[in-house]
Amino acid sequence: MNYLKWLLLGSIFSLSGMANAQEITAYTELLTPYQILDEDNKLTGFSTAVVKTLANKVNDTVNFELLPWERAYRGVKENKNTLIFSLYRSKQREKHFKWVGKLDENIHNFYALRSNVATHIKSEKATKRLITAVISNSYEDKTLTARGYTNLMRVSNEKQVVNMLFSHRIDLLFGSEVTIANLVTEAGRSIDDIIKLVPISNWGDGLYIAFNKDSDADLVKKYQRAYQELLNDGVITKLKKQHFKFNYIAP
């Protein structure tokens, strides 16, 4: 009888878990190495792996919507119970989302060709005089514009910027070391040819997973708890090591 009792309870809990399972839409963009396409054109990368692991942990199904950033951002803001990644957490965005967990610190620096000494600036103020490439309408574009940058070369694809630097169409690259190092390597260039210059101050609190601000509280808490468990168990660190395979850029 005890065996049957526990079997029955197990079935109830199993059915309860299935009843609570949800289908979640996750909006994102391509951002090396956080969200990338593999050789089979499937979405992968560190942040993608974290979101998939989270969904599996809470028994949800996640449907990825890979879009240009502006459309992805609009999609999550317009649709309840959807999430977005990898999203910069900033003071301006704080009240517009329900935040799940941090993916990476993502400190931003300016970078130049090591051979182009004329672009080796020493201060953030000096970067405004040079031409910097940014993805059109990205967080970088909007934030630098708000800070008074007028020499921005706006592009639609992040993979363009490395060759633009080497062909001297721009003076500076701007982004996290993780992203820039991967873009340089993917372009078939050596990171030894790139120099890391000054960081930009007060950039924000890193990259996050976040839900639409009107999402159900229980849904958000479920993901927040699951994320914390993955963090405590070392799963996030393990995934980062698997996907962050690059050499650092020397100053």
Side-chain angles (χ1 to χ4, degrees), residues 80-203:
K80 179 180 176 180
N81 295 338
T82 63
L83 64 82
I84 189 168
F85 69 98
S86 302
L87 177 70
Y88 289 109
R89 188 170 187 171
S90 65
K91 183 177 180 180
Q92 295 79 7
R93 287 175 170 174
E94 187 65 30
K95 65 181 180 180
H96 297 294
F97 296 92
K98 290 182 177 177
W99 304 89
V100 173
K102 181 185 283 191
L103 293 162
D104 196 23
E105 292 291 345
N106 213 252
I107 297 169
H108 275 49
N109 289 268
F110 290 91
Y111 305 83
L113 283 178
R114 191 171 294 276
S115 60
N116 192 358
V117 180
T119 63
H120 295 183
I121 45 83
K122 303 295 183 181
S123 68
E124 182 181 330
K125 182 179 179 181
T127 61
K128 293 183 179 181
R129 299 195 300 265
L130 302 177
I131 300 173
T132 302
V134 292
I135 305 303
S136 181
N137 291 314
S138 64
Y139 182 73
E140 289 84 353
D141 180 6
K142 293 176 180 178
T143 305
L144 291 180
T145 299
R147 292 188 183 208
Y149 282 76
T150 57
N151 290 323
L152 298 177
M153 176 72 76
R154 294 176 174 87
V155 299
S156 59
N157 189 326
E158 64 172 5
K159 296 185 184 298
Q160 297 174 257
V161 298
V162 175
N163 288 330
M164 290 173 69
L165 181 71
F166 277 86
S167 62
H168 298 279
R169 293 174 58 198
I170 58 173
D171 300 312
L172 302 173
L173 297 178
F174 177 68
S176 73
E177 188 165 9
V178 173
T179 296
I180 298 300
N182 276 271
L183 286 174
V184 170
T185 301
E186 287 181 357
R189 305 286 187 170
S190 171
I191 61 170
D192 293 335
D193 294 330
I194 305 293
I195 184 171
K196 180 166 65 174
L197 303 171
V198 296
I200 194 165
S201 59
N202 302 317
W203 186 246

Side-chain angles (χ1 to χ4, degrees), residues 15 36 170-171 222 246-247:
L15 289 171
I36 61 176
I170 58 173
D171 300 312
K222 177 175 72 171
F246 67 97
N247 295 317

Side-chain angles (χ1 to χ4, degrees), residues 71-85:
R71 289 176 57 194
Y73 192 80
R74 183 169 65 247
V76 72
K77 291 193 75 174
E78 293 176 350
N79 294 286
K80 179 180 176 180
N81 295 338
T82 63
L83 64 82
I84 189 168
F85 69 98

